[in-house]
């Protein structure tokens, strides 16, 4: 589906209840829209609510209040099973700590989203190999995660995020655990996914430098959007 | 998601913790092995005992003269017990059968003619007692029984040499004897026994008989009582029933006889017919009647008692299965806690609750099935050894094995469900944040 807006958020509030009187408001009336095919970054200090926002965007979590439409689907009306389907079909997650399934080969990790989508064995193996080749990991297909370096793990994770050809890729500080050289490599993969595959990408980052490479930079502070500007290049 | 993937996932995670898997298996292995072992020994025992009873002539019908058990008599009997040496009625209650109470040869041949389609053979016998056959320094212990020609057929006596007693031997009261192969070996060695004379010593008396046949003595596999030296084993020596009666001077007629029915005869129906046939003869006899019964019903009763017994023992053994199941549940709970993050990742990638649940239940079933298979093999081994020790032929039953596999699987599902469901219902965010 190619609706005008990939993400449409209105007055999103997220509160955590830690004990009876302690109500922690992490997101405070967030309004956000991201066009299909856009590459945006979210910046902000630690604890400002970036990951919480990403979890809501990625259908891992539900907002306490507000309205959220992802790729034309109103998320407020969906049950857990439907949210699983949305995550499986429309969202590709890339995490700071890679989150590969342990004791499972790179190939099997990339196959996982397709497995849950019910793709046949031969098809998913073929596609997983193709994706690993795209991120330059075809030599390491049979390796276990603990046999891979950080940069290699992140490339496998990106291949896995692409498995079901999602509408949107959500990357939460994907270069945070990498050195600048491998971080650069990972960034280049995102750029090519954006340009060549036309993916919508939301990148959360600490690095001002990397944020400048994206089309739009959204600043978050204490759960509120404090600024939106275009990337400098 | 596909089953193969679940299986390889489960096997993978079981391999990752080999020692833990092994210890978990142990509970199921012990439980299944003891159930199978007990069931195997139990069914072997049942088969052997029923087989032994069958060998004694379970297919046969026995008719015997028995004291009437009227209600009046019972009362007298009870009173008699309280007042020993009491009233005259007690004599009628404890009456000994006289010659007129016995079943006569005429009654038996009439009976036989009346049911030609049902009766294959009738066996008559008169036990004479034990004696010894001596020939110089050689001797053989015997137990002498007078029989008719039907006895051999009804009791499946297998003649290996010569012939069995014929009706002509009985009517002529010939001094002929059928001896066991063991007997022939100890008295005649390799010499031909048929046609030879033997001297039977019983108390003061010495009887001279001619051997007309040799039968195969069966070796019972149930050994009862104290062991006896091979050459002292007492075997049966059969003589014509008419000769036996003259030996111990007993009255004519019989207290009991055995009927072999033809193949395909409805035993229960024939029992009723035979009973009413003899009831007519004994209608005016106040003290005695002929009671007709078969061993089949007794066998069924014994069989079901033995089955219930082994089932009861197996139930007790099954308690260890529950312990094994709880062990599996415990290990699965530890395992899903350790793998919380993995569960979070899977959920983030789109795994539904059901997929996670199936993954962990599969793991539980696999443990139980592996444990079940090892337990079945071990249990059959135990059963064979146990049957061997008890002296029964072992029959591991396919039904028991299939049942054990089914039970293993059910234990896997039952004890795996709670942990698997706990994993399935984890909140994806919290699972992902788990350190
Ligand atoms: N599940 C939770 N329960 C309670 N508080 C939480 C939970 N998740 C996040 N928070 C709190 O919300 C705030 C924002 O967290 P997060 O979104 O992770 O920030 P960021 O990713 O920008 O560093 C933090 O103060 C954090 O402690
Ligand atoms: Mg964060």
């Amino acid at each position: 589906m190619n609706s005008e807006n990939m993400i449409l958020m209105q007055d999103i509030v997220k509160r955590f209840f830690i004990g009876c009187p302690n109500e922690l408001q992490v997101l405070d009336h967030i309004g956000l829209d991201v066009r299909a095919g856009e590459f945006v970054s979210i910046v902000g200090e630690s604890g400002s609510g970036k990951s919480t926002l990403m979890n809501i965007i990625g259908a891992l979590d539900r907002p306490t209040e507000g309205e959220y439409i992802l790729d034309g689907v109103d998320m407020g009306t969906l049950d857990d099973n439907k949210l699983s389907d949305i995550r499986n079909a429309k969202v590709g997650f890339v995490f700071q700590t890679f989150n590969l399934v342990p004791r499972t080969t790179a190939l099997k990790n990339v196959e996982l989203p397709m497995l849950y989508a019910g793709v046949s064995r031969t098809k998913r193996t073929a596609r997983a190999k193709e994706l690993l080749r795209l991120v330059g990991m075809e030599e390491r297909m049979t390796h276990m995660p603990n046999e891979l370096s950080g940069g290699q793990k992140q490339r496998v994770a990106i291949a896995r995020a692409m498995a079901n050809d999602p509408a949107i890729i959500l990357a939460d500080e994907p270069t945070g655990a990498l050195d600048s050289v491998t971080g650069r490599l990972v960034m280049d993969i995102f750029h090519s996914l954006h340009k060549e595959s036309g993916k919508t990408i939301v990148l959360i980052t600490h690095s001002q430098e990397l944020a400048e490479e994206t089309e739009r930079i959204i600043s978050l502070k204490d759960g509120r959007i404090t600024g939106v500007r275009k990337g400098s290049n | 998601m596909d089953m193969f993937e679940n299986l390889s996932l489960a096997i993978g995670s079981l391999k990752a913790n080999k020692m833990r898997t092994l210890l978990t298996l142990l509970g199921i292995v012990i439980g299944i092995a003891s159930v199978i072992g007990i069931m195997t020994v139990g069914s072997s025992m049942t088969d052997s005992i029923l087989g032994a009873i069958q060998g004694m002539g379970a297919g046969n019908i026995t008719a015997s003269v028995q004291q009437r058990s009227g209600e009046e008599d019972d009362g007298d009997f009870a009173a008699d017990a309280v007042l020993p040496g009491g009233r005259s009625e007690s004599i009628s209650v404890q009456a000994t059968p006289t010659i007129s109470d016995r079943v006569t040869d005429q009654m038996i041949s009439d009976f036989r003619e009346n049911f030609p389609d049902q009766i294959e053979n009738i066996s008559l016998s008169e036990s004479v007692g034990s004696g010894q056959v001596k020939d110089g320094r050689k001797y053989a212990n015997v137990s002498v029984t007078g029989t008719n020609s039907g006895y051999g057929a009804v009791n499946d006596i297998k003649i290996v040499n010569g012939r069995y007693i014929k009706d002509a031997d009985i009517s002529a009261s010939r001094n002929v004897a059928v001896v066991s192969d063991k007997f022939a070996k100890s008295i005649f060695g390799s010499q031909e026994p048929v046609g030879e004379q033997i001297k039977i010593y019983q108390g003061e008396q010495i009887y001279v008989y001619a051997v007309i046949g040799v039968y195969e003595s069966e070796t019972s596999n149930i050994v009862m009582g104290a062991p006896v030296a091979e050459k002292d084993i007492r075997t049966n020596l059969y003589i014509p029933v008419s000769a036996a009666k003259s030996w111990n001077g007993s009255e004519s007629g019989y207290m009991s006889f055995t009927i072999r029915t033809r193949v395909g005869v409805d035993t229960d129906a024939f029992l009723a017919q035979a009973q009413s046939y003899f009831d007519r003869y004994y209608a005016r006899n106040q003290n005695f009647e002929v009671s007709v019964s078969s061993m089949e019903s007794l066998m069924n009763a014994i069989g079901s008692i033995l089955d219930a017994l082994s089932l009861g023992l197996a139930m007790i053994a099954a308690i260890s299965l529950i312990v094994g199941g709880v062990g599996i549940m415990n290990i699965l709970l530890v395992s899903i806690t350790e793998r919380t993050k993995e569960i979070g990742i899977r959920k983030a990638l789109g795994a539904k609750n059901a997929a996670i649940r199936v993954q962990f239940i599969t793991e539980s079933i696999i443990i139980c099935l592996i444990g079940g298979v090892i337990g079945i093999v071990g249990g059959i081994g135990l059963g064979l050894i146990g049957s061997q020790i008890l002296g029964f032929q072992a029959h591991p039953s396919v039904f028991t094995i299939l049942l054990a596999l089914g039970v293993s699987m059910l234990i896997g599902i039952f004890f795996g469900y709670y942990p698997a469901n706990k994993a399935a219902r984890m909140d994806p965010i919290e699972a992902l944040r788990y350190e």
Side-chain angles (χ1 to χ4, degrees):
Chain A
M1 196 188 289
N2 213 349
S3 54
E4 193 60 14
N5 287 302
M6 181 57 67
I7 297 172
L8 192 63
M9 279 184 159
Q10 262 173 12
D11 289 325
I12 291 290
V13 173
K14 181 68 185 181
R15 293 189 203 100
F16 290 109
F17 301 91
I18 21 176
C20 207
N22 306 327
E23 186 180 281
L24 184 68
Q25 180 149 332
V26 177
L27 296 178
D28 186 6
H29 295 88
I30 297 280
L32 176 68
D33 41 40
V34 176
R35 278 177 293 108
E38 200 179 0
F39 190 174
V40 302
S41 58
I42 299 174
V43 295
E45 12 183 287
S46 187
S48 56
K50 304 184 295 292
S51 296
T52 306
L53 180 60
M54 193 194 84
N55 289 339
I56 292 172
I57 295 172
L60 268 173
D61 206 355
R62 295 170 194 271
T64 314
E65 285 169 23
E67 191 177 281
Y68 171 35
I69 293 165
L70 171 65
D71 200 13
V73 181
D74 185 348
M75 306 295 278
T77 59
L78 302 180
D79 64 9
D80 285 354
N81 270 338
K82 286 272 166 31
L83 288 183
S84 294
D85 285 339
I86 294 281
R87 289 197 294 272
N88 186 244
K90 290 188 190 282
V91 183
F93 286 100
V94 178
F95 301 94
Q96 181 176 3
T97 53
F98 324 121
N99 283 347
L100 296 181
V101 175
R103 297 189 313 273
T104 305
T105 61
L107 187 69
K108 286 279 174 200
N109 260 287
V110 179
E111 280 187 36
L112 272 179
M114 295 185 268
L115 182 69
Y116 292 124
V119 176
S120 79
R121 168 178 301 279
T122 45
K123 273 194 190 150
R124 61 178 191 252
T125 307
R127 173 148 174 86
K129 282 180 179 166
E130 170 66 14
L131 288 165
L132 282 169
R133 201 184 53 73
L134 280 176
V135 298
M137 288 295 294
E138 69 266 46
E139 306 284 308
R140 298 280 193 276
M141 284 192 312
T142 57
H143 286 229
M144 297 293 176
N146 60 3
E147 297 162 352
L148 300 173
S149 72
Q152 291 172 330
K153 281 186 212 177
Q154 200 60 301
R155 280 189 275 162
V156 173
I158 293 170
R160 186 179 66 182
M162 289 297 294
N164 285 335
D165 195 19
I168 183 166
I169 288 186
L170 299 175
D172 191 351
E173 305 195 35
T175 60
L178 304 176
D179 59 70
S180 53
V181 178
T182 44
R184 180 71 259 152
L185 199 100
V186 165
M187 242 353 242
D188 288 344
I189 295 174
F190 283 121
H191 279 299
S192 78
L193 286 178
H194 175 235
K195 287 204 192 77
E196 277 145 43
S197 313
K199 292 277 167 245
T200 312
I201 301 176
V202 177
L203 172 75
I204 291 171
T205 181
H206 256 114
S207 157
Q208 199 61 43
E209 208 181 317
L210 294 179
E212 294 298 341
E213 296 176 19
T214 64
E215 295 171 319
R216 202 151 53 113
I217 306 167
I218 295 155
S219 304
L220 210 62
K221 194 172 192 308
D222 294 332
R224 236 167 300 179
I225 292 177
T226 54
V228 179
R229 63 186 175 82
K230 279 195 172 345
S232 57
N233 38 2
Chain B
M1 85 182 231
D2 78 66
M3 205 57 222
F4 180 83
E5 211 57 45
N6 269 318
L7 283 179
S8 68
L9 211 62
I11 289 166
S13 91
L14 295 178
K15 270 192 193 155
N17 282 299
K18 289 198 184 69
M19 193 62 193
R20 183 195 282 182
T21 304
L22 206 74
L23 290 175
T24 315
L25 278 181
L26 210 59
I28 296 297
V29 169
I30 291 173
I32 292 283
S34 38
V35 171
I36 292 276
I38 288 172
M39 298 280 270
T40 304
V41 173
S43 72
S44 311
M45 178 177 74
T46 308
D47 287 356
S48 292
I49 291 178
L50 292 184
I53 295 173
Q54 187 94 45
M56 290 174 191
N60 295 337
I61 288 171
T62 304
S64 56
V65 176
Q66 275 173 7
Q67 191 157 1
R68 283 192 192 277
S69 54
E71 272 174 16
E72 260 179 45
D73 293 348
D74 277 352
D76 284 344
F77 193 76
D80 190 49
V82 178
L83 303 164
R87 297 164 296 174
S88 61
E89 285 93 337
S90 66
I91 294 163
S92 76
V93 169
Q94 291 174 327
T96 44
T98 63
I99 189 155
S100 61
D101 297 319
R102 291 164 80 94
V103 178
T104 63
D105 282 311
Q106 188 59 48
M107 278 159 76
I108 290 169
S109 62
D110 287 351
F111 173 59
R112 191 169 185 158
E113 274 162 31
N114 218 316
F115 298 101
D117 296 334
Q118 286 95 334
I119 300 171
E120 183 177 298
N121 241 315
I122 289 182
S123 157
L124 296 169
S125 66
E126 179 86 29
S127 181
V128 178
S130 52
Q132 200 171 50
V133 171
K134 284 192 256 192
D135 180 20
R137 285 174 56 201
K138 291 180 280 187
Y139 70 93
N141 291 327
V142 293
S143 150
V144 183
T145 309
T147 70
N148 70 338
S149 57
Y151 184 93
V154 172
N155 293 286
D156 296 317
I157 289 171
K158 205 174 148 203
I159 294 294
V160 291
N161 190 2
R163 63 170 178 86
Y164 197 72
I165 294 159
K166 292 195 296 197
D167 289 338
D169 299 327
I170 293 159
S171 50
S173 232
R174 284 187 194 131
N175 285 1
V176 291
V178 175
V179 299
S180 71
D181 48 2
K182 281 208 186 79
F183 174 98
K185 209 174 153 214
S186 27
I187 296 294
F188 301 107
S190 56
Q191 208 188 317
E192 170 64 42
V194 173
E196 293 296 320
Q197 301 279 322
I198 51 170
K199 287 189 185 125
I200 307 166
Y201 293 77
Q202 197 197 29
E204 304 287 284
Q205 304 280 348
I206 302 172
Y207 301 93
V208 179
Y209 271 71
V211 175
I212 53 162
V214 179
Y215 69 90
E216 187 182 88
S217 52
E218 54 189 65
T219 42
S220 165
N221 53 359
I222 300 177
V223 183
M224 289 181 193
V228 183
E230 177 74 21
K231 62 176 181 135
D232 288 332
I233 288 173
R234 191 177 296 283
T235 60
N236 286 321
L237 185 144
Y238 301 111
I239 61 173
V241 66
S242 50
K245 283 199 183 296
S246 68
W247 270 38
N248 57 2
S250 65
E251 295 145 331
S252 66
Y254 305 91
M255 283 299 286
S256 73
F257 62 93
T258 309
I259 305 147
R260 165 150 304 178
T261 53
R262 291 189 192 281
V263 178
V265 169
D266 178 352
T267 311
D268 288 336
F270 179 62
L271 271 179
Q273 287 174 326
Q275 184 66 58
S276 61
Y277 181 84
F278 280 102
D279 280 348
R280 280 197 282 114
Y281 274 101
Y282 282 76
R284 276 181 311 217
N285 190 323
Q286 286 180 354
N287 300 324
F288 291 92
E289 64 183 345
V290 165
S291 159
V292 186
S293 64
S294 80
M295 220 188 247
E296 214 170 72
S297 49
L298 176 71
M299 241 173 77
N300 290 343
I302 290 176
S304 55
I305 289 171
L306 290 176
D307 283 348
L309 198 75
S310 52
L311 196 69
L313 284 172
M315 291 287 219
I316 294 169
I319 291 173
S320 60
L321 270 181
I322 294 173
V323 177
V326 172
I328 284 179
M329 186 150 131
N330 183 33
I331 287 301
L332 277 174
L333 283 171
V334 171
S335 169
I336 65 158
T337 306
E338 284 177 357
R339 288 153 71 185
T340 301
K341 182 132 193 167
E342 176 190 326
I343 293 164
I345 297 168
R346 287 177 184 277
K347 288 199 153 190
L349 298 179
K352 291 199 175 88
N353 291 2
I356 302 287
R357 194 181 294 122
V358 169
Q359 178 189 337
F360 284 96
I361 286 185
T362 307
E363 205 169 306
S364 170
I365 292 176
I366 292 289
I367 296 182
C368 289
L369 279 184
I370 294 174
V373 168
I374 299 174
I376 287 168
V377 172
I380 290 175
L382 281 179
L384 291 181
I385 293 169
S387 303
Q388 192 86 46
I389 290 171
L390 294 172
F392 302 127
Q393 189 96 47
H395 306 292
S397 88
V398 177
F399 170 75
T400 316
I401 291 167
L402 291 180
L403 188 74
L405 278 180
V407 166
S408 313
M409 208 149 136
L410 280 182
I411 287 175
I413 294 170
F414 187 81
F415 290 98
Y417 186 82
Y418 174 74
N421 203 39
K422 200 178 158 190
R425 287 168 54 176
M426 279 182 182
D427 179 61
I429 302 278
E430 269 162 39
L432 271 174
R433 288 165 63 104
Y434 184 85
E435 292 302 326

